[in-house]
Amino acid sequence: GLVGQDVLVPSDIGYLAADTGLTGRVELAQPVPDLTVKFFDQSGQLVRTLALGAQEQGSVGFAWEGLDDSGVGSDPGIYSIIAEGTGADGTSRFDTYAELPVEGVIPSMNGGNMLLSLRGIGEVPLDRVLEIH
């Protein structure tokens, strides 16, 4: 029943789908006056910067529709995600979580954790999934 569902997992890599974009969250341990989320293509080129402004401590959602900074559509595929903002010690990076589609389920052979095959990042243990959508 998980195949075809989206799951939220800790990841600095996301998959930009043509129909749904790329969504996820940033976890902030403190308030941030200027949170930005940046997306980089596989060659390391900055494609898009989302300025999310001042944010309180906690979980902050983001959604990238796939347009680059000049308004041109980006190709579907794998993108790196970096969340930054001004913290107590200058610019800080924050933990990111990506919402990714489940492409397959690999049962445990030895009573361990079941693995999910996620588009863009490969196999992830089920216990790393924070949410199922």
Side-chain angles (χ1 to χ4, degrees):
L2 287 173
V3 175
Q5 300 291 319
D6 290 334
V7 294
L8 186 70
V9 295
S11 180
D12 59 358
I13 298 172
Y15 186 84
L16 176 66
D19 56 343
T20 59
L22 191 161
T23 58
R25 289 191 194 157
V26 178
E27 282 300 320
L28 301 176
Q30 63 198 28
V32 175
D34 57 354
L35 180 64
T36 60
V37 180
K38 298 177 181 180
F39 301 92
F40 297 83
D41 65 18
Q42 290 186 354
S43 66
Q45 294 292 107
L46 176 63
V47 176
R48 176 75 168 155
T49 300
L50 297 179
L52 301 180
Q55 300 292 328
E56 294 299 318
Q57 176 181 348
S59 184
V60 178
F62 63 82
W64 175 38
E65 76 288 345
L67 299 179
D68 68 14
D69 282 334
S70 63
V72 176
S74 299
D75 292 331
I78 300 166
Y79 289 83
S80 297
I81 307 165
I82 294 178
E84 296 178 322
T86 304
D89 300 326
T91 300
S92 297
R93 285 194 178 176
F94 304 101
D95 292 335
T96 56
Y97 299 80
E99 193 170 313
L100 297 158
V102 177
E103 294 184 319
V105 176
I106 304 162
S108 170
M109 296 301 234
N110 301 330
N113 211 348
M114 181 171 37
L115 297 175
L116 301 180
S117 178
L118 303 181
R119 183 177 299 154
I121 67 171
E123 297 174 357
V124 173
L126 181 61
D127 66 358
R128 292 189 42 102
V129 171
L130 301 175
E131 292 179 5
I132 300 170
H133 300 168

